[in-house]
Amino acid sequence: MAQDEAREFQSVSIHEMMEIQSDLSGLTLGPSPAATADAVDDALERLDAEIFKLPLHETAVYLKALSHHSDVVDRDFRLSFLERDNFDARLAAQRIAGYWSLKWDVFGEDKCFLPMNLSEGGALEDDFEVLKESFFEIVLPRRDAQGRAILYLDGKLWHLPNISSKQVLRGIFYVYHTVCQDPDTRRRGAVILGNYKGAKGAGLDSFDTNVFCLGGRFMQVVPLRVRSFHVCHPSAFMNYAFFPILKFFLGRELRLRLRTHYGSDESVLKSLEAYGMPSDVLPMSAGGSLDYDVRTWFTEQLFAEKQPLSESQANGQASAGISECDVEEPPKKRAASSRSRNTNNQSNDNCVPLPALVASAAQSTPASTNQKKRSSSKRGKGERRGRGKPSDPRMSKAIAIKQAKTSVSLYCALVAGGFVF
């Protein structure tokens, strides 16, 4: 293992080494969001086009999430994947498809498309009590000196037997989903601080390999830049038995940004302060002065979810991707409502996602085809039929999409219609 790490470190280029040092020191703020709304719209269109290029088995869960009007249609959520990959639409499409495939494996079909909430009706409603008492990772209320969020992991809580592996993974999804809601955090990134003082290695047998395997997959698809991973007070058992497994599943990018802190409480706190984490931002369990723990964090999250929207939040729902276009309608009324929106409320047209237009176009195409058949059957015996070949159903679908939303590029409309380039 040590030889593998040495070879990996030797393979690091000078440019990559500078990036690692910048992430560790907090000098890197990450990619800036697109300057204008038009640039963001163009990036989101390119993301749609790249998603349609992926094999269906990779995007099946993502497309199903769209049909359920889940938070995946939220503009800010999709933009987070573009920001994570420097607005590279191809990489962002692969990441968002992998995110939803993993979420299906962790939450199952019955909870995969529910809101990521702890409150009633949320995907983690049944897990709240267990997570509050037995989970091990939270977001600290204070940031580091560089303004980055701190994800705090309490190693002592890894060994409580009354939490299942799937609940652990759902808790990880929730914590990262929460921190990704902040645009500034997505731009600056986050750091992970693991405190293993007093952790008992004998309890590791209560977690199966799924936690490591699926947790490693999660770190590859989450739309958040983890700038560094700091491990404090690891025991000898942790070094030889636990960390080799952890490093394997972390992936190369995060593995090269892993730093370990040994020694007394004072020496560890001094070491962390050199990386921008003074004692006043750390919880008491890590030797800091902050009175904060897992139970407090989950209780605050549940309380925040149950609070009604303020007037300013209600007025700003459109900018957050919440609009009447996201509300599920009865199937019989959906087509008529869509037509009325296009004619009477064109200002809301921009919030209709492209996959929703694909679905509406698919619903309208059979009706128009039947109408043509009925009109053709009424022709007299001597009347001449129209010239030309029958229209390509893919082109008809693409035209319907383009007519329904003129801002969609021709390329995206053709791809959505079924053309392969």
Side-chain angles (χ1 to χ4, degrees), residues 39-324:
V40 173
D41 290 338
D42 180 67
L44 291 172
E45 284 188 7
R46 286 187 280 110
L47 175 62
D48 287 333
E50 291 295 336
I51 288 174
F52 281 113
K53 290 180 183 179
L54 295 175
L56 184 59
H57 71 273
E58 295 181 12
T59 59
V61 182
Y62 174 80
L63 296 177
K64 189 169 184 178
L66 286 173
S67 68
H68 282 69
H69 293 270
S70 183
D71 55 358
V72 69
V73 300
D74 183 87
R75 174 190 176 91
D76 192 57
F77 176 83
R78 295 164 63 238
L79 180 60
S80 67
F81 287 87
L82 286 167
E83 292 173 340
R84 171 61 180 85
D85 290 300
N86 296 342
F87 283 83
D88 187 320
R90 182 181 62 84
L91 294 178
Q94 295 172 352
R95 188 179 298 274
I96 197 170
Y99 177 92
W100 279 96
S101 295
L102 178 59
K103 192 176 180 184
W104 177 278
D105 293 339
V106 172
F107 285 84
E109 183 176 6
D110 56 334
K111 295 183 178 180
C112 183
F113 308 113
L114 296 177
M116 287 290 287
N117 294 333
L118 299 165
S119 53
E120 185 177 358
L124 294 100
E125 176 188 1
D126 300 331
D127 301 320
F128 170 70
E129 291 297 333
V130 174
L131 293 175
K132 184 181 68 171
E133 300 297 332
S134 307
F135 199 56
F136 52 83
E137 189 173 20
I138 58 174
V139 184
L140 294 180
R142 297 178 184 173
R143 296 172 178 262
D144 71 356
Q146 290 75 32
R148 302 175 298 187
I150 303 175
L151 300 172
Y152 178 64
L153 192 155
D154 193 340
K156 295 190 299 295
L157 302 180
W158 267 76
H159 315 295
L160 294 177
N162 58 338
I163 181 170
S164 69
S165 299
K166 284 296 179 70
Q167 286 174 322
V168 168
L169 293 164
R170 289 196 290 268
I172 293 174
F173 256 93
Y174 179 76
V175 170
Y176 280 82
H177 174 83
T178 301
V179 77
C180 285
Q181 301 304 300
D182 179 32
D184 188 59
T185 299
R186 296 200 304 263
R187 183 174 69 92
R188 295 177 181 272
V191 297
I192 300 176
L193 173 62
N195 176 30
Y196 291 90
K197 185 177 181 180
K200 298 179 181 180
L204 287 174
D205 56 0
S206 63
F207 288 88
D208 59 34
T209 55
N210 263 346
V211 173
F212 296 101
C213 182
L214 296 181
R217 280 178 57 192
F218 178 79
M219 296 307 297
Q220 305 304 316
V221 299
V222 62
L224 176 69
R225 288 182 176 273
V226 178
R227 300 294 185 182
S228 58
F229 191 168
H230 298 269
V231 176
C232 305
H233 302 291
S235 64
F237 178 85
M238 293 271 180
N239 273 329
Y240 292 104
F242 176 69
F243 286 140
I245 302 174
L246 177 65
K247 291 177 180 179
F248 176 80
F249 288 105
L250 282 179
R252 183 178 185 273
E253 181 178 345
L254 191 52
R255 191 163 50 239
L256 291 171
R257 290 162 173 78
L258 178 66
R259 294 295 180 269
T260 309
H261 306 269
Y262 299 95
S264 63
D265 292 347
E266 292 76 12
S267 62
V268 168
L269 288 175
K270 186 176 181 180
S271 179
L272 290 174
E273 188 172 6
Y275 288 98
M277 288 180 282
S279 60
D280 60 341
V281 305
L282 303 178
M284 291 181 176
S285 58
S289 58
L290 194 62
D291 186 9
Y292 206 72
D293 57 16
V294 171
R295 178 178 296 183
T296 302
W297 187 79
F298 275 100
T299 302
E300 288 180 352
Q301 290 300 122
L302 180 64
F303 180 78
E305 290 174 7
K306 290 184 175 181
Q307 293 305 299
L309 289 177
S310 64
E311 184 177 352
S312 60
Q313 288 175 315
N315 294 334
Q317 280 185 341
S319 62
I322 304 173
S323 67
E324 66 177 26

